[in-house]
Amino acid sequence: MTEINDTNITRRDFLKTAWSVIGGITALEAGALAIAYMQPRLAEGEFGGVLTIGAVEDFPPGSVTHITDGRFYLTRFEDGGFVAIYQRCTHLGCSVPWEQTENMFICPCHNSQFTSDGDVLNPPAPRPLDLFAVSIEEGIVKVDTGNLIVRDQFDPAHVAYAAQENE
Ligand code: FES
């Protein structure tokens, strides 16, 4: 009689444990699916990821080129350095066009003005236009639109050079 009770208790414990394990695995799978669902889906070359822009020589020194898909301007300085300037105004977020004839960015919303490297010439913008990191790999310009660089002033450390210009 005692042996039968022990067996029943053991079977019950086994089933409880089995159901707990199955429930735990199911909960883990559901959690993993939820996390995967919430992850941003960025294909390479889309805004929010790393964009391959083109060859260094495609951008003459002293030029400002609007990269529409990347929502930024690629400025190449006279010394050959590059910065990628996010087009969003640091005042209230309007898109800021480059005005070639004026040689500056002029925000259409409240008339903030910025130099070709994004520094403020005229407020109300409280700080320079933000940047994205530029890298140059084997003569190809790449911009990481997933990492915004917020700055208070121009910093030469944010300028990227092709290998031969940096030496
Ligand atoms: S949003 Fe650009 S100046 Fe106000």
Side-chain angles (χ1 to χ4, degrees), residues 88 90 114 118-120 124-130 149-152:
R88 184 184 67 188
T90 52
F114 306 87
D119 260 349
V120 178
R127 58 185 174 75
L129 296 169
D130 300 327
I149 300 169
V150 176
R151 58 196 178 135
D152 293 323

Coordinates of all heavy atoms in Angstrom, one line a residue, residues 88 90 114 118-120 124-130 149-152:
R88 N 18.6 67.6 -40.4 CA 17.6 68.1 -39.5 C 18.1 69.3 -38.7 O 19.1 69.2 -38.0 CB 17.2 66.9 -38.5 CG 16.1 67.3 -37.5 CD 15.9 66.1 -36.6 NE 17.0 66.0 -35.7 CZ 17.2 65.0 -34.8 NH1 16.3 64.0 -34.8 NH2 18.3 64.9 -34.1
T90 N 18.7 71.8 -35.8 CA 18.8 71.6 -34.4 C 17.9 72.6 -33.6 O 17.9 72.5 -32.3 CB 20.3 71.8 -33.9 OG1 20.8 73.1 -34.4 CG2 21.1 70.7 -34.4
F114 N 23.7 78.1 -41.3 CA 24.9 77.3 -40.9 C 25.9 77.3 -42.0 O 25.6 77.3 -43.2 CB 24.4 75.8 -40.7 CG 23.2 75.6 -39.8 CD1 21.9 75.7 -40.3 CD2 23.4 75.3 -38.4 CE1 20.8 75.5 -39.4 CE2 22.3 75.1 -37.6 CZ 21.0 75.2 -38.1
G118 N 28.4 72.9 -40.9 CA 27.2 72.8 -40.0 C 27.2 73.7 -38.8 O 26.3 73.7 -38.0
D119 N 28.3 74.5 -38.7 CA 28.3 75.5 -37.5 C 27.3 76.5 -37.7 O 26.9 77.0 -38.8 CB 29.7 76.1 -37.4 CG 30.6 75.5 -36.4 OD1 30.0 74.6 -35.6 OD2 31.8 75.8 -36.3
V120 N 26.8 77.0 -36.5 CA 25.7 78.1 -36.6 C 26.3 79.4 -36.9 O 27.3 79.9 -36.3 CB 25.0 78.1 -35.2 CG1 24.0 79.3 -35.2 CG2 24.4 76.8 -34.8
P124 N 17.9 81.0 -34.6 CA 17.7 80.5 -33.2 C 18.3 79.1 -33.0 O 18.2 78.6 -31.9 CB 16.2 80.5 -33.0 CG 15.7 80.3 -34.4 CD 16.6 81.0 -35.3
A125 N 18.9 78.4 -34.0 CA 19.4 77.1 -33.8 C 20.4 77.2 -32.6 O 21.3 78.0 -32.6 CB 20.1 76.6 -35.0
P126 N 20.3 76.3 -31.6 CA 21.1 76.4 -30.4 C 22.5 75.8 -30.6 O 23.4 76.1 -29.7 CB 20.3 75.7 -29.4 CG 19.6 74.6 -30.2 CD 19.3 75.3 -31.5
R127 N 22.7 75.0 -31.6 CA 24.0 74.3 -31.8 C 24.2 73.9 -33.2 O 23.2 73.9 -34.0 CB 24.1 73.1 -30.8 CG 23.0 72.1 -31.0 CD 23.1 71.0 -29.9 NE 21.9 70.1 -30.1 CZ 21.8 69.2 -31.0 NH1 22.7 69.1 -31.9 NH2 20.7 68.5 -31.1
P128 N 25.4 73.5 -33.6 CA 25.6 73.0 -35.0 C 24.7 71.9 -35.4 O 24.2 71.1 -34.5 CB 27.1 72.6 -35.0 CG 27.7 73.3 -33.8 CD 26.6 73.4 -32.8
L129 N 24.6 71.7 -36.7 CA 23.9 70.6 -37.2 C 24.6 69.3 -36.8 O 25.9 69.3 -36.7 CB 23.8 70.6 -38.8 CG 23.0 71.8 -39.3 CD1 23.2 72.0 -40.8 CD2 21.5 71.6 -39.0
D130 N 23.9 68.3 -36.5 CA 24.5 67.0 -36.1 C 25.2 66.3 -37.2 O 24.9 66.6 -38.4 CB 23.4 66.1 -35.5 CG 22.6 66.7 -34.3 OD1 23.3 67.4 -33.6 OD2 21.4 66.4 -34.2
I149 N 26.0 62.0 -34.2 CA 27.0 62.7 -33.4 C 26.5 64.1 -33.1 O 26.4 65.0 -34.0 CB 28.4 62.9 -34.2 CG1 28.9 61.5 -34.5 CG2 29.4 63.7 -33.4 CD1 30.1 61.5 -35.5
V150 N 26.1 64.3 -31.8 CA 25.6 65.6 -31.4 C 26.8 66.4 -30.9 O 27.6 65.9 -30.1 CB 24.6 65.4 -30.3 CG1 24.1 66.8 -29.7 CG2 23.4 64.6 -30.8
R151 N 26.9 67.7 -31.3 CA 28.1 68.5 -30.9 C 27.8 69.9 -30.6 O 26.7 70.4 -31.0 CB 29.1 68.4 -32.1 CG 28.4 69.0 -33.3 CD 29.2 68.7 -34.6 NE 28.4 69.2 -35.7 CZ 29.0 69.9 -36.8 NH1 30.3 70.0 -36.8 NH2 28.3 70.4 -37.7
D152 N 28.7 70.5 -29.8 CA 28.5 71.9 -29.4 C 29.2 72.9 -30.4 O 29.0 74.0 -30.4 CB 28.9 72.1 -28.0 CG 28.0 71.4 -27.0 OD1 26.8 71.3 -27.3 OD2 28.5 70.9 -26.0

